[in-house]
Amino acid sequence: MKSFSIDRRQFLFMSGIMGITLIAGEPETSIPKTQAEEKMTYNAKDYNRLIGMEGFSETLLKNHFTLYQGYVTNTNKVLEALGQMLKEGKVATPEYAEMKRRLGWEFNGMRLHEFYFENLGGKGSVSKTGKLYQKLVESFGSYEAWEKDFKATGAMRGIGWVVLYQDILSGKFINFWINEHDGGHPSGGMPILIMDVFEHAFMIDYGLKRADYIEAFFRNINWTETEKRLLLHKG
Ligand SMILES: [Fe+2]
């Protein structure tokens, strides 16, 4: 795979939209391409703070972090390859089409894991005086009804994700089952709480006892982080 590169005109355009200041009269050979490339590269986040979380072994978490890092690496590779094909005028090709399809899998694999890890590591329960609790009650009738639906969705046969989405147009909360990273997500949906129910998320610690993993997940939800995702201007 060829490395991604940009010419001066592309860099000047991008530096404009990214707010980068160039030194006037700087020779073309000194354009900081690595800086530009860095700004377009996704970096894996460090979730080692989760190690020691009750109900999740270090082995399971480290395996999961490694898998997540693979999605970040591949997202960068796919974007780099697509950029190169665009530059070379090779967009009307099967390779371009397949790579475009692949982007949804790798990008969402990256982002969904970030939402997942970031909504873990908390203790306690949702604040009953907060907006999140209020929205759950509005959408499901009660917090208990939401939790029952979310857990039941996670207990379904099959592997995937459970996502509490907020519809950004109506403000309503809906629990979604997502089979694969790249399919089934609601248009205009803001992920509020995400639970990974692929087997790698629990089998090392729980075998087939997925319900026990779901209970452990609930004991470790970071409700503060989750509430930050709420779109307060709706509903
Ligand atoms: Fe996962």
Side-chain angles (χ1 to χ4, degrees):
M1 185 180 294
K2 294 179 181 176
S3 62
F4 178 68
S5 61
I6 56 174
D7 61 29
R8 182 177 180 81
R9 190 174 58 180
Q10 286 173 309
F11 178 79
L12 286 170
F13 171 72
M14 286 187 287
S15 60
I17 61 174
M18 292 176 179
I20 300 169
T21 303
L22 286 176
I23 300 169
E26 190 176 3
E28 188 163 332
T29 52
S30 67
I31 289 174
K33 288 184 178 178
T34 54
Q35 183 185 357
E37 286 170 3
E38 280 175 13
K39 284 189 175 294
M40 292 183 290
T41 301
Y42 290 98
N43 296 308
K45 298 180 181 179
D46 183 351
Y47 296 110
N48 279 316
R49 65 177 176 80
L50 296 179
I51 292 175
M53 188 166 58
E54 181 262 326
F56 290 75
S57 70
E58 183 172 344
T59 301
L60 180 140
L61 286 172
K62 284 190 169 177
N63 275 322
H64 212 164
F65 297 157
T66 300
L67 189 145
Y68 153 67
Q69 288 156 8
Y71 283 112
V72 178
T73 299
N74 281 5
T75 296
N76 288 324
K77 283 182 179 176
V78 171
L79 286 171
E80 181 182 301
L82 284 168
Q84 188 67 30
M85 282 189 269
L86 177 63
K87 188 179 177 186
E88 294 173 357
K90 296 178 179 174
V91 293
T93 63
E95 291 79 8
Y96 182 84
E98 289 308 304
M99 200 63 83
K100 271 288 180 186
R101 293 180 196 282
R102 187 77 190 175
L103 180 59
W105 173 263
E106 302 293 353
F107 184 93
N108 279 359
M110 171 182 72
R111 187 52 50 78
L112 288 165
H113 277 104
E114 290 171 349
F115 277 118
Y116 170 71
F117 290 134
E118 285 163 18
N119 65 216
L120 281 171
K123 294 191 186 306
S125 54
V126 62
S127 167
K128 292 190 174 181
T129 58
K131 187 76 176 173
L132 176 59
Y133 184 88
Q134 182 187 327
K135 289 296 300 180
L136 289 168
V137 173
E138 280 176 18
S139 296
F140 291 87
S142 67
Y143 169 87
E144 290 73 22
W146 164 75
E147 185 178 298
K148 186 175 182 180
D149 187 71
F150 192 92
K151 288 179 174 176
T153 308
M156 286 164 45
R157 295 179 70 81
I159 53 171
W161 302 87
V162 185
V163 185
L164 168 64
Y165 269 110
Q166 183 178 20
D167 174 8
I168 61 172
L169 294 183
S170 70
K172 182 179 172 62
F173 279 0
I174 308 172
N175 290 327
F176 272 80
W177 170 261
I178 308 298
N179 266 327
E180 303 283 5
H181 310 333
D182 53 346
H185 298 272
S187 294
M190 175 63 194
I192 303 295
L193 179 69
I194 288 192
M195 180 168 68
D196 191 339
V197 282
F198 277 80
E199 288 162 346
H200 63 251
F202 63 89
M203 282 203 81
I204 290 173
D205 290 347
Y206 295 97
L208 294 174
K209 295 178 180 175
R210 189 193 298 211
D212 291 349
Y213 157 70
I214 293 173
E215 291 303 320
F217 172 85
F218 264 79
R219 289 195 297 275
N220 290 284
I221 292 174
N222 185 337
W223 289 107
T224 304
E225 184 61 33
T226 303
E227 184 140 7
K228 286 179 189 171
R229 299 173 183 168
L230 194 60
L231 298 171
L232 296 173
H233 64 288
K234 291 292 180 185

